[in-house]
């Protein structure tokens, strides 16, 4: 057996719902809570256990809900508090848990706290945000300076993200108590946990020293794993988390496994797990330091996953994702949108579901949804993509080049409506959707894939069942094979009774792969081609073998 202490959120599988684009129940073009309620049976049918709901709190939507103006209210465009209560109740009835997003590194500038704080230098909330007489050189994640001037105070406030997302002052115990009380409010409603947005940025380096400027002319804010980070999280654990049987997942940890241990080591009493994203950075074009078109480097991708898989084993639990609302569609990055669309979609499912850690499936990933063919400004909704558009234009990039970059990077790629059928608006809404529907919906949609026994959707369901039936896939240790191979990602998972071999061809051509001796004749649990594994893998072929020890 293994020495990991079992927990429902380690064994469970998460399905991420970005509510704005999941299902619109009233024809206003915006997905809503009733839409999620209507689709609970579909979610359940996937075999997943936990729904992570992106923010549904009241928000002016500068950053699509990640700018909260009232933490105790539902954004009216998503429905009412009664809808939220009903969602919790119906989900629980079906054995599904609901985890909410907690966005408390910053609030909206339209939150009552900030309005009061910004009104003068001596109001009761004057100290709830970071106010300084002079800005330093830090840049904001979404462009420009990280400081914004407010005449009423003749001071600047810090915003690591957009200027409508002022950073809350975690040094102030009143702020922390206010946050804890929000958490208890939702805890009393019966939610099953939180995903902690930007958790590594709660604590700031209070010297606010300039940092070396990058090509944008600004310095990166020195507020990752700040000096009091773990002090704050331990207090939060003591005062709130320890009173609930919650799933608690931090967005990001340290930059290495070692610096991530304190966040999730059970003896430290902070969070249950973190998910990290460095693997999604491999081959991702960026504009920050020049456009990197170097392409995808499989050995590098494997090395990063290996570092985290082994580096965290025995030190704390992790979650893994290939897609989320900040990413693009995984099939465009690591798979094939042409003739091997199906094969590569299944291959990616196999990779995600057999890594060590809780898998996070993003809505539409189970269908093999693809990136949107962006080609005009009017199609952009995300403020990050909009800022990239402005920056790339300023740098004199040709329009074709800009669109090529945005088609590969814009967060809007994962935010187009869920594709339910081949009818109007992909069955998402009877009204005009808030963002364009991906034209691929004629072929890629739930209804079509339900009918096709060989679909990516059915493969996910099957692979989920295989994972669940094999505890080795959940708790077994990870070992990377053939790290230098530029085509094949192969690894094993092992406990004292069983060993699994997972093999994935990441290319659209044959690849040579010799099965390790001890796995010859082992049982094939799942795979995306009919044949028994041979010495040559087909394009994007994948399989999982199991042997007894
Ligand atoms: O993202 C935080 C974050 O660290 C970003 O770097 C994120 O990785 C980036 O946007 C990817 O392009 C979280 C949320 O997931 C994101 O949607 C929000 O915009 C952000 O916090 C601010 O709340
Ligand atoms: Ca709606």
């Amino acid at each position: 057996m293994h020495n990991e202490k079992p927990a429902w959120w380690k064994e469970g599988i998460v399905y991420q719902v970005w509510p704005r684009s999941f299902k619109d129940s009233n024809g206003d073009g915006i997905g809503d809570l009733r839409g999620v309620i209507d689709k609970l049976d579909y979610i359940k049918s996937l075999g997943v256990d936990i729904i992570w709901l992106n923010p549904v709190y009241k928000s002016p939507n500068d950053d699509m809900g990640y700018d909260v103006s009232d933490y105790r209210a539902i954004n009216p465009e998503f429905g009412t508090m009664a809808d939220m209560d009903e969602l919790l109740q119906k989900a629980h009835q079906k054995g599904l848990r609901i985890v909410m997003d907690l966005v408390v590194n910053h609030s909206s500038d339209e939150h009552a706290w900030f309005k009061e704080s910004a009104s003068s230098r001596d109001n009761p909330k004057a100290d709830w945000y970071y106010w300084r007489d002079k800005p330093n050189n830090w840049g904001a994640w979404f462009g420009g300076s990280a400081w914004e001037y407010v005449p009423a105070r003749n001071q600047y406030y810090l915003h690591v993200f957009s200027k409508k997302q002022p950073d809350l002052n975690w040094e102030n115990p009143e702020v922390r108590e206010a946050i804890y009380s929000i958490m208890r409010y939702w805890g009393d409603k019966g939610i099953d946990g939180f995903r902690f947005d930007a958790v590594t940025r709660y604590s700031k380096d209070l010297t606010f020293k300039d940092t070396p400027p990058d090509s944008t002319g600004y310095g990166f804010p020195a507020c990752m794993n700040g000096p009091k980070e773990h002090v704050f999280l331990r207090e939060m654990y003591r005062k709130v988390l320890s009173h609930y049987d919650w799933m608690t997942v931090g967005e990001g940890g340290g930059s290495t496994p070692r610096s991530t241990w304190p966040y999730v080591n059970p003896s430290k009493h902070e969070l249950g797990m973190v998910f990290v994203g460095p693997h999604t950075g491999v081959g991702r074009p960026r504009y920050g330091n020049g456009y990197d078109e170097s392409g995808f480097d499989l050995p590098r991708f494997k090395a990063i996953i290996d570092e985290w898989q082994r580096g965290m084993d025995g030190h704390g639990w992790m979650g893994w994702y290939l897609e989320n609302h900040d990413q693009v569609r995984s099939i465009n990055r690591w798979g094939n949108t042409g003739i091997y669309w199906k094969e590569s979609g299944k291959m990616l499912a196999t990779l995600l579901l057999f890594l060590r850690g809780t898998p996070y499936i993003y809505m539409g990933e189970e269908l093999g949804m693809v990136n949107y063919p962006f080609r005009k400004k009017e199609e952009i909704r995300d403020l990050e993509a909009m800022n990239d558009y402005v920056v790339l234009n300023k740098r004199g990039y040709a329009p074709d080049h800009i669109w090529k970059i945005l088609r590969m990077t814009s967060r809007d790629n994962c935010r187009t409506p869920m594709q339910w059928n081949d009818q109007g608006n992909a069955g998402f809404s009877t009204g005009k959707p808030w963002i364009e529907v991906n034209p691929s919906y004629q072929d890629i949609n739930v209804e079509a894939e339900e009918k096709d026994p060989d679909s990516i959707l059915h493969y996910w369901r099957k692979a989920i069942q295989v994972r669940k039936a094999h505890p080795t896939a959940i708790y077994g240790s990870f070992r990377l094979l053939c790290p230098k191979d530029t085509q094949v990602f192969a690894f094993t998972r092992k406990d004292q009774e069983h060993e699994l071999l997972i093999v994935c061809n990441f290319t659209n051509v044959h690849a040579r792969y010799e099965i390790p001796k001890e796995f010859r004749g082992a049982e094939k649990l799942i795979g995306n081609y009919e044949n028994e594994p041979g010495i040559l893998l087909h394009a994007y072929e994948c399989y999982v073998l199991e042997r007894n020890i």
Side-chain angles (χ1 to χ4, degrees):
M1 281 307 290
H2 55 86
N3 49 17
E4 187 77 38
K5 190 170 174 241
W8 61 265
W9 41 268
K10 293 179 185 170
E11 293 171 19
I13 296 176
V14 181
Y15 186 73
Q16 183 187 348
V17 171
W18 202 72
R20 200 175 189 79
S21 292
F22 192 59
K23 176 73 184 154
D24 173 20
S25 70
N26 61 353
D28 66 356
I30 298 173
D32 44 51
L33 291 171
R34 293 228 71 82
V36 184
I37 295 172
D38 291 346
K39 293 296 182 186
L40 281 174
D41 285 333
Y42 169 75
I43 297 174
K44 179 77 186 168
S45 81
L46 300 173
V48 301
D49 311 276
I50 303 154
I51 298 173
W52 156 26
L53 201 59
N54 285 97
V56 291
Y57 312 102
K58 195 148 185 258
S59 162
N61 285 327
D62 180 55
D63 186 16
M64 295 302 168
Y66 281 95
D67 45 325
V68 180
S69 54
D70 185 349
Y71 293 94
R72 287 182 166 85
I74 298 293
N75 194 338
E77 59 192 16
F78 291 142
T80 62
M81 191 57 85
D83 295 332
M84 185 66 205
D85 292 334
E86 189 179 326
L87 172 61
L88 278 165
Q89 189 225 337
K90 294 220 161 115
H92 287 161
Q93 256 169 25
K94 294 178 198 293
L96 289 166
R97 312 216 195 206
I98 303 264
V99 166
M100 291 183 86
D101 225 301
L102 186 69
V103 192
V104 291
N105 170 69
H106 45 268
S107 71
S108 162
D109 65 337
E110 297 183 33
H111 195 291
W113 297 342
F114 184 78
K115 288 189 192 158
E116 186 173 349
S117 187
S119 65
S120 69
R121 289 194 190 198
D122 51 12
N123 67 76
K125 297 205 166 44
D127 215 10
W128 279 45
Y129 296 82
Y130 295 100
W131 294 97
R132 291 291 178 277
D133 295 338
K134 278 203 181 65
N136 65 6
N137 79 336
W138 293 357
W141 187 268
F142 296 129
S145 165
W147 298 89
E148 184 72 10
Y149 180 72
V150 172
R153 291 184 59 138
N154 188 24
Q155 279 184 317
Y156 297 79
Y157 66 85
L158 175 69
H159 61 89
V160 168
F161 294 95
S162 92
K163 67 178 177 202
K164 288 186 66 64
Q165 295 168 299
D167 283 57
L168 281 158
N169 179 7
W170 272 77
E171 303 286 332
N172 184 335
E174 285 175 28
V175 170
R176 300 201 299 275
E177 287 302 332
I179 291 168
Y180 301 155
S181 131
I182 290 162
M183 295 171 72
R184 291 184 200 108
Y185 171 83
W186 288 101
D188 292 346
K189 283 198 170 285
I191 68 160
D192 301 288
F194 282 116
R195 175 258 190 197
F196 294 78
D197 185 64
V199 71
T200 60
R201 293 173 158 105
Y202 289 176
S203 162
K204 271 68 173 172
D205 174 357
L206 298 176
T207 62
F208 291 106
K209 283 196 290 268
D210 281 358
T211 52
D214 67 12
S215 66
T216 63
Y218 292 105
F220 194 76
C223 49
M224 289 283 264
N225 308 307
K228 296 241 195 90
E229 186 68 33
H230 300 295
V231 178
F232 295 154
L233 287 176
R234 273 167 222 165
E235 179 188 86
M236 178 196 276
Y237 182 90
R238 211 176 56 245
K239 295 197 166 178
V240 188
L241 304 182
S242 58
H243 301 282
Y244 298 90
D245 176 26
W246 272 350
M247 170 173 132
T248 53
V249 52
E251 186 210 12
S255 47
T256 62
R258 188 172 282 272
S259 57
T260 303
W261 294 347
Y263 285 93
V264 285
N265 189 309
S267 69
K268 303 282 188 210
H269 300 301
E270 296 188 19
L271 299 174
M273 71 171 128
V274 297
F275 44 54
V276 300
H279 59 298
T280 64
V282 183
R284 180 183 160 98
R286 281 179 303 267
Y287 68 82
N289 289 300
Y291 177 34
D292 162 17
E293 268 174 304
S294 50
F296 179 57
D297 174 353
L298 183 64
R300 174 103 196 92
F301 184 72
K302 293 191 287 191
I304 292 175
I305 293 179
D306 181 44
E307 180 195 358
W308 286 89
Q309 288 276 288
R310 284 185 303 116
M312 295 302 290
D313 198 343
H315 297 283
W317 196 251
M318 277 189 79
W320 283 93
Y321 64 87
L322 299 178
E323 288 180 16
N324 63 35
H325 65 292
D326 292 333
Q327 297 291 329
V328 300
R329 292 295 181 176
S330 56
I331 210 155
N332 288 74
R333 304 222 31 216
W334 304 304
N336 181 290
T337 55
I339 53 170
Y340 296 116
W341 167 71
K342 242 186 205 181
E343 288 76 8
S344 66
K346 296 175 183 178
M347 184 278 284
L348 292 170
T350 310
L351 172 68
L352 183 69
L353 290 172
F354 287 89
L355 288 176
R356 185 173 195 277
T358 303
Y360 287 70
I361 306 168
Y362 181 74
M363 62 177 201
E365 185 175 1
E366 78 277 21
L367 305 176
M369 273 179 68
V370 298
N371 283 352
Y372 184 88
F374 292 102
R375 55 185 81 252
K376 42 180 197 291
K377 201 172 155 212
E378 297 68 50
E379 290 169 336
I380 304 180
R381 295 287 178 279
D382 175 33
L383 83 168
E384 182 181 68
M386 195 59 90
N387 180 57
D388 290 358
Y389 177 83
V390 171
V391 170
L392 291 167
N393 260 299
K394 267 201 202 130
R395 293 187 184 183
Y397 282 70
D400 276 358
H401 198 173
I402 296 178
W403 289 114
K404 189 174 162 209
I405 296 176
L406 290 177
R407 283 198 291 272
M408 288 164 75
T409 58
S410 166
R411 304 194 296 185
D412 283 331
N413 279 300
C414 272
R415 299 178 177 188
T416 62
M418 176 74 177
Q419 294 164 201
W420 295 102
N421 57 42
D422 63 4
Q423 309 295 297
N425 299 326
F428 161 70
S429 172
T430 54
K432 187 174 160 34
W434 71 279
I435 187 172
E436 296 297 323
V437 174
N438 191 309
S440 67
Y441 78 96
Q442 304 269 353
D443 303 310
I444 305 176
N445 62 69
V446 173
E447 206 175 280
E449 296 198 29
E450 290 285 8
K451 282 188 206 137
D452 171 9
D454 187 41
S455 65
I456 297 179
L457 173 61
H458 283 302
Y459 186 92
W460 272 97
R461 287 189 174 126
K462 195 172 154 208
I464 285 171
Q465 290 316 318
V466 174
R467 178 184 169 97
K468 294 202 151 165
H470 294 84
T472 316
I474 297 167
Y475 293 115
S477 58
F478 173 98
R479 188 162 65 94
L480 181 67
L481 305 175
C482 56
K484 300 240 151 55
D485 193 300
T486 54
Q487 287 186 277
V488 181
F489 193 158
F491 57 96
T492 60
R493 302 289 312 283
K494 189 178 182 185
D495 56 28
Q496 269 149 22
E497 282 134 44
H498 304 280
E499 187 172 28
L500 305 178
L501 171 69
I502 297 94
V503 177
C504 298
N505 178 2
F506 264 70
T507 65
N508 62 358
V509 290
H510 281 103
R512 218 188 121 80
Y513 180 74
E514 199 166 332
I515 295 175
K517 270 198 310 298
E518 61 274 23
F519 277 98
R520 298 207 185 128
E523 188 196 351
K524 178 170 156 187
L525 300 180
I526 191 166
N528 60 352
Y529 283 83
E530 290 282 298
N531 58 274
E532 284 306 306
I535 186 77
L536 276 188
L537 297 168
H538 298 286
Y540 296 102
E541 181 169 351
C542 70
Y543 55 78
V544 179
L545 305 184
E546 182 191 39
R547 71 178 188 98
N548 295 328
I549 293 188

